[in-house]
Amino acid sequence: FYHALPGFALFRRSARLLLPAQFILVLLAGIGADLWLRGPLKRRGLLAAALLCAPVLLDSGLRILPRLNTKSLPEAFPAPPFTAELTRSEDNGRTAALGRTPISYGLAAYYGVDLINGYAPLNLRHYIEYFTVLRDGDARRTPRTPVVWTDLTTIARPDMLRALDVRTIVANGPAPLERIGYELVGRRENVPVFKFYTGIVHEPMLLWRDRSPLGPAYFARSVSAVVDPQESLQGLVTASSVLDARAFGWNGDGEPLDFSGGKARMTHRGYNLYRYEVESSGRNFLILSQVWY
């Protein structure tokens, strides 16, 4: 039925049963009401119709009234712990969540957290490809159909995580992150978090911090040209390091680089404006972690 009727397969979980059940109940109720209005209630007109509608309205009211209350956002969606470590700033970098529960994707900005996970239709297609390689190490696993969430379940390329300036990782349970250079720096017990399809639950919260971050801007050690997105993606998969940059339309003949390095740091982390302070020792190629700009 769901495969045959256009659009029904898009409904999630309980709605798949709820909607046809409502349709069947309304159909049966309509047949019953018609029989009543043609039979014992035939002469009572509007009163009969009101009597038939009243039980339905009363039932709906009793079900919905307990839910018709309001709460403040901090009460409905409590802020995560480690606020100082997670709030976006020039020094904190970005955050990655293992699973959807530690920080709700849609509330990360409300909390002031710069999260790399998110609602995939709002992300660029190339970011989905990047995220897939980061997670699975294989571009062939990039979904060929629309996806909903960018869930981080594994980390196959920690260097690509650092290229996004991810300095903190949060999870609701233990994870083997020490072996990729992240140090466990905090743990809280019995933290209220929002869990999909359930509501507010209480889980432990663990926080890891990168021991050797690349930062929001860093210098490349080499640059090579790519001609199309497919070559760029393939280069990303085969690259030994994110320090080996690949650029569209790159012509190194006219601009020889010595890759002598230097220092680069972010001085202002806004939403539409970023400022950097760069001190280059020679002719370098600078890489910024701002994938949107």
Side-chain angles (χ1 to χ4, degrees), residues 77-92:
F77 300 103
F82 313 114
T83 303
E85 293 86 349
L86 298 177
T87 303
R88 71 194 315 274
S89 70
E90 294 79 11
D91 300 320
N92 279 351

Side-chain angles (χ1 to χ4, degrees), residues 248-269:
F248 289 95
W250 173 255
N251 182 6
D253 297 337
E255 300 176 359
L257 302 178
D258 56 26
F259 302 105
S260 53
K263 298 179 181 179
R265 69 184 186 92
M266 179 182 285
T267 60
H268 175 74
R269 192 187 200 102

